[in-house]
Amino acid sequence: MSDLIDILQTLAARSGRSSSPLITLRSFPPGTGTRISHLAVDQGLQEAWVQVVGTPFFQAQSIALAALRRGTPFAITGSSMVSRASLHLVTLDLLRNEPLATALLIAPDSDLALLHEREAMLLARYCRPALPIAATGGTQRRVAPTARLVITTLPELHNHLLRFHDRAWRFFWQRLRLIVIADLHVFHGVAAAHLAMTLLRAARLTSQPLLLGGTLATVSGAETALTMLTGREWRITAVDDLPRPATTLALWQSDGERRREIARLAEAFLNAGAAVRLVATPWELADLQTLVDHEAFSVGTQPMPAHVQIITGADVGAATVQAALASGAVLVVLLLGRGMTEPALQRLAVTDPTTWPLLRPPVWPPVLNNSFVSTLHLVCAASEQPLRAEEIRQWQVESMVEQLTAKGYLSRLPDTPPVWLPGDQSDPYIPLDLHAAGTEPIYLFDEQGQQFATTDSSLFHRWMHPAAGLPPLRGGQQVIARDEDQGTITLARRDGRRTLPLRQCQVQIREEWAQRELRRSRGGRGPLLSWGRVVVEEQVYAYREQIGREPAQERKLVTPLTYRWQSPAVWVRLGHPIHPTGQQVGWSVVAAAALITLARVEDCVPAYDPATNHLFLIDAQNSGNGLAEWLYDQIETILPLAYDIALEQRTDPLFEPLARTDMDWLLAVLSGETEVAIAMPTLSPGRTPGENRPARTPEPPARSEPPARSEPPARSEPPARSEPPAREPPVREPPAREPPVREPPAREPSVRSEPPAREPSVREPPVRSEPPAREPPVREPPAREPPVRSERSADAQRGRDNRSGERHQARRPPAQPDPPAIPATPEPPTDDSPAASVPDAEAILARLRQRRERNGPAPTSRERRPEGQQALEPRFQPGDRIICMPYGAGRVRASIVSEGRELLLVEFDEHGELRIDPSVNIVRRLPPVEGEGSE
């Protein structure tokens, strides 16, 4: 259906916008897979495969079948129809070879469970005798306990199959031989802990060892995660073993009215005879399910077979985007608007498509044993069968069982050996949400009072305050009612409305497990990074609200929301104190982690402690979800992307204060230009760093160095400072960028705290002191209309990062008082403000090129001043290595004194030869490279 691309291009041409909303199109060619001539399965299954699928067998099926027959867990890579059919083929072959055995298939949600039921029944229909297959959530629910293959979800497995194992499901559990899990990558973080404990409970109810298998998307670190999840090594097939259909990815820039654009796109494709699947976040399901009334239109949180997959935003995650590309769809449309990461993704898709984050295999953070999850499942396990001392030792939960016994949740019987039964407490079988750490989920209702989804209870006090915009950091839905007693949230559609919570946090370090220095690609001493357990007290007292293109406003909550939890965290000591209002700091790193890993943006919480100058990144769920441990090992891999995210958000009315704060400390941490103060936390006597690290079984793999990535632009010092000791800045090939809108943020005027003066370099005279800049007035937020994208010269684009670093370092935010009751009224910017005097890189480059073309080659000798004038002593000599804002590092070829000013001819690696005026551009001499003589 190649005409689908033509339909999309026609819609883009008729959008009525000044620039096309179709950002880019990228085609992915088909893959044939690794075919084999024969597969050792039952003859009836061979014929059924040819009848249903119509393709030869593949190597992935042979590898999975061999692993299953050896008793080794297997995982088939892929999310297409062939991947699902291969899983069904291997499962049905075991059931045909063992006539009394049963099998269980766990799907991520009810929609995919019904899909697996339909496709498995097609394959089993051609087998004689037929194998009964049923899903617990479909029309076959009543006969499911008698089926040979039962398809269910993890919440249904917990609340029905395991709960009533000794009644309707007794014969099924007695004969259970195999458990396969579809889309294993969905079970990450707390969901992985739920899955691990559920598999342990299931293994207790069978009379023979359980076999394991499943499918998963292309994920980095899957072998380690699955081994930690089950305690057994898995055999994972190669990515190219199965065929891959041809597809096209289209990036569509939303204008803020996503619902209207989705309806327009879906109706156009449906009118052309295509089936459309809409992939959205759980927050949007109720609003989008009634968007289009057509039998070929469906809505869900995971891709399903369809000609066109429309994804509502980047916050669905990289694994979901890649699953949509592998689903067999002809076209995948990803909407990008004004979410936290989406402006950076738009630019990277055009300037650096080969490293686009959503097309890389996402990382599966290590699976963590969550104590709250383990507590819930231990009590449920005791309700199903008495807990034996041998099981408790194997699961390594002796201390947890003792605590549950002391609190009355478990009761120890005086048998020999002892056994444990559930205590006289309430029903332990609470409804299960995959990301809820042992607590009841929060129920989401639409305006008509109909429940449509559940979500994690840890989000209730931070993201779901009154009038909050959901999904987090993107908006589109508004909380119109919340009931804390019942744990319910009512949502209504509010297009173009976004919010950001303003918080106060107190963080207390309880344990410190490990310490190390941040690694830099060019070496040098980095700030100290620590990993341990913290206790957090958080209060949401207000929120920033931004609607459409209006300026952002701060609104106080009538009743502040407080939340306290204990969880693993990583923390880094920053080189300079920062003063973020309402804890608007660190969200760029959280958003980058959500792009690179399987984690959600809700899984991590940043907090800044001004007393210790520590920035914390904390697991959002009680007892942790594994993300902090991964950040401790690999945080260097996401910091450059976090800087890109903050850079693209510095003109956004909602995220502007957050973006500028994050750019300041990220530049200091990454570039190494600023001296970073390091204080070693006090350890217990006789202990070494990392000695308190908790034991895990099995041990996590050795940490590997992060992949090489270009460093951020070198950070310059403010003009008002004394000249610091010169040091070598990191050399970086910055990506092409557009010049920023040079308008300062809205801030309250306050007294600036000047940094302590430092001694000038021995080799270089101190810079002339500049007159003190007067305090700028409170600025109005950035312009409402987004900057018009046009073709920029590569030279101007490469210089943008350095200019931004100079501006943010020169305009460090002062200490902020307590949040005001009424936000200050912004004033319009003035022409004599510091921001207005920052030179524009594009204009400078264009003027210099024109002047060089007009005047010819620049002279190589110094000009003489007219007689009678005082001679100006040049500061720079030919051969000096300098750093110049906004062009970066270069070498002086000639120094010219003209009309009382010194002009430099500088050769830059990125821009060629340029004439530089040190009175306009900030120029500083760098020390010579060791072993290199001056020219």
Side-chain angles (χ1 to χ4, degrees):
M1 303 182 68
S2 59
D3 56 340
L4 294 178
I5 307 298
D6 298 334
I7 293 174
L8 188 66
Q9 293 174 336
T10 302
L11 291 174
R14 297 177 180 177
S15 63
R17 305 186 201 173
S18 57
S19 59
S20 173
L22 186 58
I23 302 171
T24 185
L25 285 170
R26 182 170 180 178
S27 298
F28 296 88
T32 58
T34 307
R35 299 183 178 183
I36 58 177
S37 58
H38 176 71
L39 185 66
V41 295
D42 181 82
Q43 180 66 31
L45 281 176
Q46 293 187 20
E47 298 175 359
W49 178 269
V50 175
Q51 292 286 338
V52 175
V53 183
T55 63
F57 294 107
F58 297 95
Q59 180 173 286
Q61 300 161 349
S62 177
I63 294 174
L65 195 63
L68 179 64
R69 291 173 178 174
R70 290 195 306 267
T72 303
F74 68 90
I76 300 173
T77 304
S79 302
S80 64
M81 185 271 292
V82 178
S83 303
R84 295 189 299 272
S86 300
L87 184 65
H88 303 155
L89 177 70
V90 174
T91 302
L92 294 177
D93 180 71
L94 180 137
L95 296 178
R96 288 183 64 84
N97 291 333
E98 300 185 18
L100 298 180
T102 59
L104 179 68
L105 191 153
I106 304 174
D109 56 39
S110 57
D111 288 345
L112 285 173
L114 296 178
L115 174 65
H116 278 277
E117 181 189 30
R118 291 195 301 269
E119 293 182 348
M121 290 180 69
L122 285 177
L123 200 60
R125 181 181 303 170
Y126 294 93
C127 299
R128 295 293 180 269
L131 292 173
I133 299 173
T136 58
T139 58
Q140 304 291 322
R141 181 169 185 170
R142 289 187 175 274
V143 300
T146 62
R148 297 283 306 281
L149 172 60
V150 175
I151 304 173
T152 188
T153 62
L154 195 64
E156 290 177 337
L157 173 61
H158 159 77
N159 211 36
H160 295 287
L161 278 72
L162 288 171
R163 183 176 190 175
F164 304 113
H165 72 97
D166 56 346
R167 283 173 264 183
W169 296 94
R170 181 177 56 181
F171 296 107
F172 174 81
W173 285 110
Q174 289 178 353
R175 299 181 295 171
L176 182 63
R177 188 76 174 94
L178 171 67
I179 294 181
V180 290
I181 304 103
D183 298 323
L184 276 159
H185 58 275
V186 174
F187 301 94
H188 58 84
V190 174
H194 280 298
L195 178 61
M197 292 300 299
T198 305
L199 292 178
L200 289 176
R201 291 165 56 191
R204 304 172 69 236
L205 306 179
T206 62
S207 58
Q208 49 191 338
L210 273 179
L211 301 174
L212 298 176
T215 61
L216 78 163
T218 306
V219 178
S220 176
E223 296 88 349
T224 302
L226 291 176
T227 300
M228 295 180 67
L229 192 151
T230 60
R232 300 161 64 181
E233 293 187 1
W234 285 61
R235 179 66 189 272
I236 301 179
T237 63
V239 177
D240 298 329
D241 280 359
L242 287 176
R244 182 181 62 253
T247 187
T248 301
L249 174 65
L251 301 186
W252 186 276
Q253 185 178 20
S254 172
D255 61 355
E257 299 288 340
R258 297 203 192 207
R259 191 176 191 274
R260 182 186 62 189
E261 288 185 292
I262 292 170
R264 184 165 166 247
L265 291 169
E267 289 175 354
F269 295 133
L270 291 170
N271 292 336
V276 177
R277 173 68 172 182
L278 184 58
V279 182
T281 61
W283 321 96
E284 305 168 293
L285 292 181
D287 179 51
L288 298 177
Q289 282 173 347
T290 59
L291 183 64
V292 178
D293 185 12
H294 198 286
E295 60 181 5
F297 177 80
S298 63
V299 181
T301 58
Q302 297 293 328
M304 294 272 283
H307 300 105
V308 180
Q309 306 274 351
I310 301 178
I311 304 175
T312 61
D315 47 0
V316 301
T320 303
V321 173
Q322 295 183 33
L325 293 172
S327 65
V330 178
L331 177 64
V332 177
V333 183
L334 174 60
L335 272 68
L336 297 177
R338 302 170 64 197
M340 186 71 187
T341 61
E342 291 174 341
L345 289 174
Q346 292 182 34
R347 181 183 59 79
L348 292 175
V350 177
T351 61
D352 199 6
T354 58
T355 60
W356 204 57
L358 293 183
L359 294 182
R360 289 181 169 184
V363 179
W364 193 338
V367 178
L368 188 69
N369 291 327
N370 186 288
S371 59
F372 287 85
V373 172
S374 300
T375 297
L376 170 67
H377 288 278
L378 279 175
V379 179
C380 292
S383 301
E384 293 153 8
Q385 281 186 3
L387 281 175
R388 302 187 303 272
E390 181 182 358
E391 293 175 329
I392 295 173
R393 285 194 302 270
Q394 290 177 351
W395 299 354
Q396 300 180 3
V397 291
E398 294 93 334
S399 60
M400 194 175 299
V401 170
E402 292 178 1
Q403 295 176 6
L404 292 174
T405 304
K407 294 180 180 179
Y409 291 99
L410 292 178
S411 177
R412 175 175 175 173
L413 299 183
D415 294 1
T416 304
V419 295
W420 283 260
L421 292 175
D424 298 331
Q425 301 292 335
S426 59
D427 185 5
Y429 291 93
I430 62 174
L432 191 66
D433 182 83
L434 291 183
H435 298 283
T439 59
E440 290 200 25
I442 300 300
Y443 300 92
L444 304 182
F445 289 83
D446 58 18
E447 292 182 272
Q448 287 72 38
Q450 298 295 322
Q451 178 189 337
F452 62 89
T454 62
T455 190
D456 178 11
S457 56
S458 68
L459 316 181
F460 192 71
H461 296 285
R462 182 179 312 110
W463 296 111
M464 294 184 282
H465 56 78
L470 296 172
L473 302 180
R474 175 155 69 88
Q477 303 292 314
Q478 179 180 344
V479 176
I480 60 175
R482 70 192 301 271
D483 189 332
E484 188 167 355
D485 295 332
Q486 299 296 325
T488 61
I489 292 292
T490 303
L491 298 178
R493 178 169 57 90
R494 298 291 186 271
D495 285 336
R497 182 181 180 276
R498 304 175 297 162
T499 62
L500 180 69
L502 300 180
R503 308 171 295 131
Q504 295 174 346
C505 295
Q506 294 182 356
V507 184
Q508 178 185 1
I509 300 175
R510 294 292 299 272
E511 296 178 85
E512 187 169 341
W513 297 328
Q515 299 172 352
R516 68 174 179 86
E517 289 184 1
L518 279 174
R519 298 181 292 267
R520 290 200 175 107
S521 60
R522 294 182 60 84
R525 191 179 185 186
L528 186 70
L529 183 71
S530 300
W531 174 49
R533 185 178 301 277
V534 299
V535 177
V536 190
E537 293 185 2
E538 179 186 54
Q539 182 187 76
V540 178
Y541 65 88
Y543 60 93
R544 280 174 62 85
E545 177 187 54
Q546 198 266 330
I547 303 175
R549 301 295 177 181
E550 297 295 325
Q553 302 290 334
E554 292 189 6
R555 304 189 184 279
K556 282 197 170 183
L557 296 177
V558 177
T559 304
L561 305 179
T562 58
Y563 184 53
R564 187 178 187 271
W565 81 99
Q566 180 176 264
S567 192
V570 296
W571 58 91
V572 59
R573 178 164 183 174
L574 305 182
H576 295 282
I578 58 177
H579 307 278
T581 302
Q583 292 286 330
Q584 295 181 87
V585 61
W587 287 114
S588 300
V589 180
V590 174
L595 286 179
I596 298 297
T597 69
L598 293 175
R600 311 167 302 168
V601 72
E602 304 97 299
D603 289 337
C604 188
V605 181
Y608 175 71
D609 184 358
T612 61
N613 201 25
H614 282 150
L615 177 63
F616 295 84
L617 298 171
I618 312 160
D619 285 354
Q621 284 85 2
N622 264 310
S623 189
N625 52 38
L627 187 57
E629 183 176 357
W630 181 85
L631 287 172
Y632 178 77
D633 291 337
Q634 301 292 336
I635 193 172
E636 291 90 347
T637 62
I638 66 170
L639 292 183
L641 178 59
Y643 178 83
D644 287 339
I645 292 172
L647 184 68
E648 295 300 323
Q649 289 292 357
R650 71 200 185 284
T651 59
D652 188 278
L654 181 66
F655 300 123
E656 180 266 341
L658 161 68
R660 297 191 183 275
T661 302
D662 279 354
M663 287 180 66
D664 276 344
W665 72 265
L666 282 169
L667 278 171
V669 169
L670 287 170
S671 67
E673 183 73 14
T674 304
E675 187 72 15
V676 180
I678 300 178
M680 297 292 290
T682 304
L683 295 176
S684 303
R687 293 187 181 272
T688 58
E691 188 172 342
N692 292 328
R693 180 169 178 161
R696 302 184 185 279
T697 304
E699 289 293 328
R703 303 182 185 100
S704 59
E705 291 294 328
R709 178 174 177 134
S710 57
E711 294 187 16
R715 181 176 181 172
S716 67
E717 299 295 329
R721 290 187 179 185
S722 298
E723 187 68 19
R727 56 190 297 183
E728 178 70 17
V731 179
R732 176 181 187 262
E733 182 69 20
R737 305 179 190 275
E738 295 178 7
V741 177
R742 297 179 291 123
E743 191 167 0
R747 299 186 185 276
E748 294 186 325
S750 60
V751 180
R752 290 178 182 265
S753 58
E754 293 295 336
R758 289 186 280 182
E759 292 296 329
S761 173
V762 176
R763 186 173 180 271
E764 183 178 359
V767 179
R768 295 172 296 179
S769 59
E770 299 288 342
R774 65 179 181 178
E775 187 70 15
V778 177
R779 303 292 180 199
E780 188 172 305
R784 301 177 184 177
E785 294 298 327
V788 179
R789 297 186 179 270
S790 60
E791 295 295 328
R792 307 289 190 187
S793 66
D795 296 344
Q797 292 170 341
R798 292 192 184 99
R800 187 172 115 184
D801 281 12
N802 290 327
R803 188 178 74 251
S804 300
E806 182 272 331
R807 291 174 55 197
H808 300 313
Q809 175 70 10
R811 297 169 55 247
R812 185 172 302 281
Q816 296 289 337
D818 292 335
I822 301 176
T825 304
E827 299 179 8
T830 56
D831 294 337
D832 59 349
S833 64
S837 64
V838 176
D840 185 281
E842 182 185 2
I844 292 174
L845 286 171
R847 185 169 65 252
L848 289 175
R849 282 197 300 270
Q850 293 175 1
R851 185 181 301 172
R852 184 170 56 185
E853 293 173 357
R854 183 172 61 252
N855 297 336
T860 58
S861 61
R862 299 193 184 105
E863 298 180 6
R864 296 181 177 271
R865 287 181 175 272
E867 296 184 2
Q869 283 192 356
Q870 183 179 1
L872 175 67
E873 182 66 21
R875 293 174 51 205
F876 302 93
Q877 301 294 330
D880 286 349
R881 297 177 62 254
I882 66 167
I883 185 166
C884 171
M885 295 301 171
Y887 308 111
R891 187 176 296 277
V892 177
R893 293 302 182 193
S895 175
I896 308 166
V897 177
S898 175
E899 298 179 358
R901 295 187 304 173
E902 182 181 14
L903 301 179
L904 304 177
L905 181 65
V906 183
E907 180 179 0
F908 296 97
D909 294 337
E910 302 169 356
H911 312 296
E913 289 189 355
L914 296 179
R915 187 177 296 184
I916 301 298
D917 186 349
S919 63
V920 176
N921 301 88
I922 299 176
V923 182
R924 183 162 58 83
R925 186 162 48 241
L926 296 173
V929 178
E930 186 176 353
E932 177 185 353
S934 60
E935 296 183 5

